[in-house]
Amino acid sequence: MRLKSIICCLALALTLLGTSLNVRAAGKGDAPFTLVIDAGHGGKDKGCHGKKEYEKDITLDVARRFRDLVKKNCADSVNVVMTRDTDVFVPLDGRARIANDAQGDLFVSIHVNSVDYKAKNRASVHGASVYTVGLHKSAANLSVAMRENAVIELEEDFTETYQGFDPNSSESYIIFELGQNHAMAQSIEYASLAQGQLVATAGRADKGVRQAGFLVLWATRMPAVLVELDFICNPAAERFLGSAEGKQKCAQALYNAFADYRKLTAKN
Ligand SMILES: [Zn+2]
């Protein structure tokens, strides 16, 4: 590994670890719980796409439906913050900053998965996964993080902002060995509940709770997960994700998991 890339990675690790060490306690007395909902992509960053649907539109729609369910059912006890509520581009570090400034208690980033155009399983791969930040255990997990992190290349000065982090170089991902330890148990708690609900309520195939190096999760100072609802490159999954019914089921799954998470964390 090149020395320069190690130094860049460690510099970024120390900078971001400095923020991630200041994880907020789960309980804030009587203060409302702050849920940060992050609709992936937006504006010039369309995310991945199928034959007619774009990831950025699906994530925003599901995020709004999730927010509306929380507001309808927990208006008195939960404050919802959206990192975007329109079709605008928000940089990854900007998303984390919004969450940290709001002193969020849980960060849920909503995305849609895809595989390479040349992949033989492009039309057949399907299923939901919920990720927490960490070192990937498979090439497939790494490729999902690489694709989601590559949006920083749309930012001006991304080399400076992310201190030399190269989203396309596996060497850069060494920083995620350090994980997000303080919030990891709660992150996995919500990830497991959301994964279960995406199967039970939204009818998605179970591709399991996973770990990979997502910059947006790394930079948040609270329990944080990234949801990949299903694969937009699969025609049947694209139809589901493009339908109002499919989006509502996904939102309901994330809400049900949130309601269960609140019950569990309120006891601690
Ligand atoms: Zn995405």
Side-chain angles (χ1 to χ4, degrees), residues 11-66:
L12 178 64
L14 290 171
T15 303
L16 297 177
L17 189 63
T19 58
S20 67
L21 284 176
N22 185 22
V23 174
R24 288 166 57 75
K28 290 188 293 183
D30 295 329
F33 185 102
T34 297
L35 170 66
V36 183
I37 301 177
D38 177 47
H41 311 276
K44 64 185 176 183
D45 169 21
K46 296 185 168 109
C48 54
H49 63 86
K51 286 206 165 57
K52 61 177 200 175
E53 305 290 343
Y54 283 96
E55 181 181 5
K56 69 169 185 175
D57 301 321
I58 295 166
T59 62
L60 180 58
D61 192 301
V62 172
R64 286 173 172 159
R65 289 170 189 269
F66 182 18

Side-chain angles (χ1 to χ4, degrees), residues 40-41 47-48 55 59 110-113 147-148 151 226 228:
H41 311 276
C48 54
E55 181 181 5
T59 62
I110 301 172
H111 288 260
V112 170
N113 219 336
R147 183 171 53 73
E148 300 292 8
V151 301
L226 188 143
E228 296 282 1

Side-chain angles (χ1 to χ4, degrees), residues 5-17 162-164 175:
S5 93
I6 294 173
I7 291 169
C8 287
C9 288
L10 288 177
L12 178 64
L14 290 171
T15 303
L16 297 177
L17 189 63
Y162 299 94
Q163 302 189 25
I175 61 167

